Amino acid sequence: QIDYTGTEPSSPCNKCLNVSWDSSPPCTCTINFTLEHSFESNVFMYYGLSNFYQNHRRYVKSRDDSQLNGDNASLLNPSKECEPYRTNEDKPIAPCGAIANSMFNDTLELYRIDNDTRTPITLIKKGIAWWTDKNVKFRNPTGDGNNLTVLFQGTTKPVNWPKPVYMLDSEADNNGFINEDFIVWMRTAALPTFRKLYRLIERKNNLQPTLQAGKYSLDIAYNYPVHSFDGRKRMILSTISWMGGKNPFLGIAYITVGSICFFLGVVLLIIHHKYGNRNTSADIPN
């Protein structure tokens, strides 16, 4: 995990700490780090946020699923649940709501350093969203032709976005509401500290590890402000084994519930032995 929030004065990203949503040009910083061990299989690159409550009731409700599913009527007349991010300058916002408005928009690039030469690591941006989200829940509006600029005509971008939704990507199958970065963000997290899949690093061959041990650098286009709510940002590299990936939440939950059951079992056993042998005879004592 690489924390690049920049709260420490010595951090290369400290100069970007008070960045705003519409900073132009974006603040950039570079963090060098070392991998002590090689990553043998496919590597998953995440961004992580802390102290960010995506589970707040009003925040979770602030979206229009019909609009996100490509309904043309909802595109121009979003749900009132999206307030106060429903309209802007008398135009409907697409996508509307607080979840979309707060979409993570830092750009992360990874390089391997070998003899002072920086070699870029290929980061795959497709295949990071759930299949059901990409192909069922999120659809672009329909109409004559496939020009998203025309299909989204009459709408405006979310307040905090630097560009409209139809300019999220240059590839047609990853643009608009079906952009995978957008889809991943819209699946809200249950806890205030969470991570979301950002990119994939695929293993090229079986003779070389995906990421060799050694020196690397992380280039960051720092756009996402978190200092105002004491949040933190980090980049995470992870891989999986035959048992799957690391998920400490389930382990903690199982141990907690198991400990409670064990404690209650001991208490009930004591109560049974202490009070369970009472005389159950119907005879009235003298």
Side-chain angles (χ1 to χ4, degrees), residues 143-253:
D144 295 334
N146 295 319
N147 190 334
L148 291 183
T149 305
V150 175
L151 295 177
F152 281 97
Q153 190 173 10
T155 66
T156 186
K157 66 179 182 64
V159 177
N160 288 338
W161 285 25
K163 53 189 176 184
V165 68
Y166 51 82
M167 294 179 63
L168 290 180
D169 199 287
S170 58
E171 300 182 34
D173 62 346
N174 193 43
N175 200 11
F177 290 157
I178 59 173
N179 177 265
E180 295 203 27
D181 284 324
F182 171 67
I183 294 174
V184 168
W185 177 256
M186 292 299 291
R187 181 168 284 277
T188 54
L191 300 173
T193 296
F194 59 87
R195 64 182 183 179
K196 292 179 182 283
L197 188 58
Y198 179 70
R199 293 292 182 265
L200 302 174
I201 306 174
E202 290 187 346
R203 188 172 187 175
K204 296 180 180 179
N205 59 68
N206 294 326
L207 301 178
Q208 296 288 338
T210 309
L211 293 179
Q212 298 179 2
K215 295 181 178 179
Y216 290 83
S217 65
L218 177 68
D219 284 9
I220 304 150
Y222 199 113
N223 302 306
Y224 202 72
V226 297
H227 184 56
S228 60
F229 57 88
D230 295 326
R232 300 196 70 87
K233 301 190 289 186
R234 62 195 188 281
M235 183 278 295
I236 303 156
L237 295 176
S238 179
T239 187
I240 59 173
S241 67
W242 63 273
M243 295 180 65
K246 179 182 179 183
N247 188 352
F249 172 75
L250 286 178
I252 295 172

Side-chain angles (χ1 to χ4, degrees), residues 105-129:
N105 64 341
D106 282 358
T107 301
L108 308 177
E109 296 178 348
L110 191 62
Y111 295 85
R112 174 171 169 78
I113 302 176
D114 192 8
N115 297 326
D116 295 330
T117 301
R118 298 203 329 156
T119 304
I121 304 296
T122 302
L123 303 178
I124 300 174
K125 61 186 176 182
K126 293 183 180 180
I128 61 175

Side-chain angles (χ1 to χ4, degrees), residues 63-120:
R63 61 188 292 163
D64 187 342
D65 288 319
S66 296
Q67 186 191 58
L68 298 175
N69 195 240
D71 182 71
N72 289 356
S74 298
L75 180 69
L76 299 177
N77 186 27
S79 168
K80 293 182 179 179
E81 296 286 1
C82 288
E83 294 288 1
Y85 302 106
R86 181 173 177 264
T87 60
N88 186 28
E89 296 179 352
D90 296 328
K91 286 187 176 182
I93 295 176
C96 71
I99 307 176
N101 187 63
S102 60
M103 178 180 167
F104 182 84
N105 64 341
D106 282 358
T107 301
L108 308 177
E109 296 178 348
L110 191 62
Y111 295 85
R112 174 171 169 78
I113 302 176
D114 192 8
N115 297 326
D116 295 330
T117 301
R118 298 203 329 156
T119 304

